[in-house]
Amino acid sequence: MNGNNPEKVGISTIIGEAFSYWTRTLMYQVMFSLLYISILITVLFYFAEYYGIMEDYLASVDELKNGMEAYAEAQKKIIANPNYGNFSWVLIGVLTFLFPLNMGLYKMFRKLDMKEPLVVQDLFAGYVGINFFNYASYYFFWFMVFSLTAPTVFLGIIWVGITLFSAPLMFFRNLRIFQTFSLNITAWKKFFPLILAGILFSMIFKFVGMITIIGIPFTFAFTNAMIYVLYKGIFREEERPAKQ
């Protein structure tokens, strides 16, 4: 936040900086979104067809016109499919594979701070060398815990909260996931209103892009810019190039 005390920085400043990073990397934001969504949809459609889930899914969508009860029953049929478990693992696998793409955006934001030129290769920083295994294993662990806590809602929110800045902390400071928990908790204790407002705004902005359909490629990764702005201001790390 340009060296200002985060406690004295208003949400308007946070939003302004997030939009600055977002607009200056807009071409790469679109590339990120199209790459992420196209791979996700292609893989899921293929395996949904392969495991015989696609037909049940389309039937469940058709049941929406008959009300939520009919839709819920159709969803139960999907879950009852003996191949549903295999399909779930495919979903987890593709999400795990795609997660390191986020590190590329963080690297680009840091390069903007360092006034260095951006290149397409930066987008794949999370896949270079051991980076992929670090961030893929992190996301796999994160998702497993989230899948267990999400049904309770409250615990799911807590888990998201204590890992909100884990990815940039791992990327820029080379910390392990368990080392980031206390830093996340401290950040929330000190800057709860600021973090909450920033994240809620980024989610709303992303949602607006989703409901307009055409805006999805532009707003899909906006949350990364918001998280980076909050991270940079709260943790005050010494500026240095991101890992290659």
Side-chain angles (χ1 to χ4, degrees):
M1 299 170 197
N2 297 327
N4 294 321
N5 186 338
E7 294 175 311
K8 299 178 181 179
V9 173
I11 183 59
S12 60
T13 301
I14 301 301
I15 293 173
E17 288 201 25
F19 270 112
S20 176
Y21 285 108
W22 175 69
T23 54
R24 286 186 290 167
T25 58
L26 192 55
M27 178 180 71
Y28 300 103
Q29 297 275 337
V30 173
M31 290 175 59
F32 171 97
S33 301
L34 293 178
L35 187 60
Y36 190 105
I37 296 171
S38 61
I39 291 176
L40 180 63
I41 291 178
T42 299
V43 172
L44 293 188
F45 267 65
Y46 173 81
F47 282 97
E49 187 70 31
Y50 179 80
Y51 287 124
I53 292 175
M54 180 63 72
E55 186 176 339
D56 291 339
Y57 172 74
L58 295 176
S60 71
V61 173
D62 189 56
E63 287 294 336
L64 274 172
K65 65 175 182 275
N66 298 321
M68 291 306 297
E69 272 191 44
Y71 176 72
E73 287 300 317
Q75 288 290 307
K76 290 179 181 178
K77 185 178 179 180
I78 295 176
I79 297 174
N81 187 313
N83 289 317
Y84 179 77
N86 292 331
F87 181 75
S88 297
W89 281 112
V90 169
L91 172 61
I92 295 171
V94 69
L95 289 176
T96 298
F97 174 78
L98 291 171
F99 178 76
L101 271 177
N102 293 282
M103 303 306 109
L105 291 178
Y106 291 138
K107 179 175 181 177
M108 289 182 175
F109 299 150
R110 174 52 54 84
K111 289 185 73 173
L112 288 176
D113 291 340
M114 303 295 290
K115 303 187 185 307
E116 297 177 2
L118 306 182
V119 294
V120 175
Q121 290 86 338
D122 293 335
L123 195 58
F124 303 98
Y127 293 90
V128 177
I130 198 172
N131 282 355
F132 172 74
F133 299 99
N134 286 338
Y135 305 123
S137 59
Y138 157 71
Y139 183 81
F140 182 79
F141 171 72
W142 183 92
F143 190 90
M144 289 295 99
V145 175
F146 180 73
S147 65
L148 294 174
T149 57
T152 66
V153 181
F154 177 73
L155 290 179
I157 293 175
I158 294 297
W159 176 242
V160 171
I162 65 173
T163 57
L164 184 65
F165 299 108
S166 291
L169 283 167
M170 292 172 64
F171 188 66
F172 293 118
R173 296 191 176 187
N174 198 30
L175 298 178
R176 298 180 182 277
I177 180 175
F178 296 106
Q179 294 175 307
T180 68
F181 292 163
S182 61
L183 295 174
N184 277 284
I185 293 171
T186 299
W188 277 102
K189 285 181 178 178
K190 290 185 176 180
F191 311 109
F192 181 85
L194 191 67
I195 296 174
L196 182 61
I199 295 304
L200 287 178
F201 177 86
S202 66
M203 291 175 63
I204 292 171
F205 184 69
K206 182 176 181 176
F207 179 73
V208 169
M210 292 177 65
I211 62 176
T212 59
I213 305 300
I214 194 173
I216 292 177
F218 300 94
T219 65
F220 183 73
F222 179 76
T223 303
N224 287 296
M226 180 62 73
I227 289 176
Y228 179 77
V229 170
L230 290 167
Y231 163 82
K232 186 179 71 168
I234 290 172
F235 294 98
R236 303 295 200 83
E237 68 166 270
E238 179 182 351
E239 296 290 346
R240 59 181 181 274
K243 293 187 292 181
Q244 301 299 313

